[in-house]
Amino acid sequence: MFQTHWHLWLQQTFDAGWVLTLMQFISLLGYEMAYTALILLCAFGARLRAGLCVMLAVLLMACATHAIKQSAALPRPSDVDARVLDKGVPSHPFVVDGGGRTFWSLPDAQAIAMLRAQPDADYGFNSGHVGVATAACVGLLLAFGIRRRWLRWALAFGWPLLMALSRMYLGRHFLADVLAGWLVGIGVAVLAWQLMPGLHANRRWQTPLLLGMGLALAWTSLLTHLVPTGEAARLLALSLLVTWLQWRGWPANPQGIAQRVLGVLGVVAVYLLARPIIDALAHRVPLPDGAASVLLWQTLGTLLILGGGVVLARWIPCAVPGPARPSRT
């Protein structure tokens, strides 16, 4: 599964400018900004609890991907084969032809050793793009209780498959990388669905376990390189918010188009204002440079965005009356 003939076939068979542009566009949708927009739209334009479940799945997958990458420390296709293009341009591999010789063999040992010797190595296994795409899509499927068969298939297989093809076409991941990302993404989405209280069940252990996980990953990010500090901070903020909402009560979900639009626009405004507010606070309260300071300000910034959105969600239904229907949280 670490062979490069898959990539050579894709790049040579579909050697057209529009295909490269399409693959780059699909890959672009796998970065943070796209998922931020998806989460804010789901949480504050539809159902808060379900949207936060999708956010939980995405953050857990980001942490899992980083931990797996750092632990496996394996190269990308463009690192081991000079024939494989890297995002449409010639690559700069460590060895000329070092892909796996059989379906189950690893890439060339010399290429692996040379990559691990780099100060800022960019590891390939597993695919974060495919993993996060799968976690987000399956999280949507579970959290919103989607029942239409074609949409279930599209979320569980369709979009992850397109993302996998784009990452392989661009020479960024082996077949093993995208398969691992897909499988781990499904598992992480199910875990997030089980942890989010009130979606399919409301058990006493869910909130303390979620909060404990957020604290543990935040602490781990300070002690090791296995957990990224930014994702750990956002996960900690999410767990704190869910704990607070479980205690104080969840706001009603928007019922009309006006409420949904105002909710999304309001949280987007808070999102745009959060950065300068946190920068001003950091300037007034100077702290030593380090992971702990990054963790603190990232956590506060995420709480400011999500908490501001929740405050607006409580106020908007009163300001803009919607149809009298029972809300689902």
Side-chain angles (χ1 to χ4, degrees), residues 6 8 50 52 134 141 161 189 199 211 230 237 239 253 279 290 292 303 307 327:
W6 312 94
L8 296 174
L52 293 184
T134 305
L141 189 156
L161 176 60
L199 276 182
L211 181 59
S239 65
N253 290 314
D279 288 344
L303 278 174
S327 63

Side-chain angles (χ1 to χ4, degrees), residues 25-69:
F25 176 74
I26 293 173
S27 185
L28 184 65
L29 294 178
Y31 287 101
E32 180 180 347
M33 188 56 66
Y35 291 109
T36 300
L38 173 66
I39 290 165
L40 295 182
L41 183 64
C42 290
F44 299 99
R47 288 157 51 189
L48 179 61
R49 200 186 302 258
L52 293 184
C53 180
V54 176
M55 180 178 179
L56 178 60
V58 168
L59 291 175
L60 286 175
M61 188 62 219
C63 291
T65 296
H66 188 81
I68 295 171
K69 282 181 182 288

Side-chain angles (χ1 to χ4, degrees), residues 270-290:
V270 174
Y271 176 82
L272 296 175
L273 291 172
R275 180 63 180 273
I277 291 174
I278 293 299
D279 288 344
L281 287 174
H283 180 73
R284 293 180 64 88
V285 187
L287 296 175
D289 292 336

Side-chain angles (χ1 to χ4, degrees), residues 50-133:
L52 293 184
C53 180
V54 176
M55 180 178 179
L56 178 60
V58 168
L59 291 175
L60 286 175
M61 188 62 219
C63 291
T65 296
H66 188 81
I68 295 171
K69 282 181 182 288
Q70 295 300 315
S71 300
L74 293 176
R76 298 177 182 272
S78 55
D79 293 331
V80 301
D81 195 325
R83 298 169 297 173
V84 176
L85 298 178
D86 184 5
K87 300 179 183 179
V89 300
S91 59
H92 301 283
F94 295 107
V95 295
V96 175
D97 184 11
R101 300 304 177 187
T102 66
F103 186 76
W104 298 109
S105 62
L106 291 174
D108 183 82
Q110 180 183 359
I112 295 175
M114 293 178 68
L115 176 64
R116 293 176 180 176
Q118 302 299 310
D120 297 310
D122 182 21
Y123 300 123
F125 184 89
N126 62 344
S127 172
H129 275 71
V130 175
V132 175

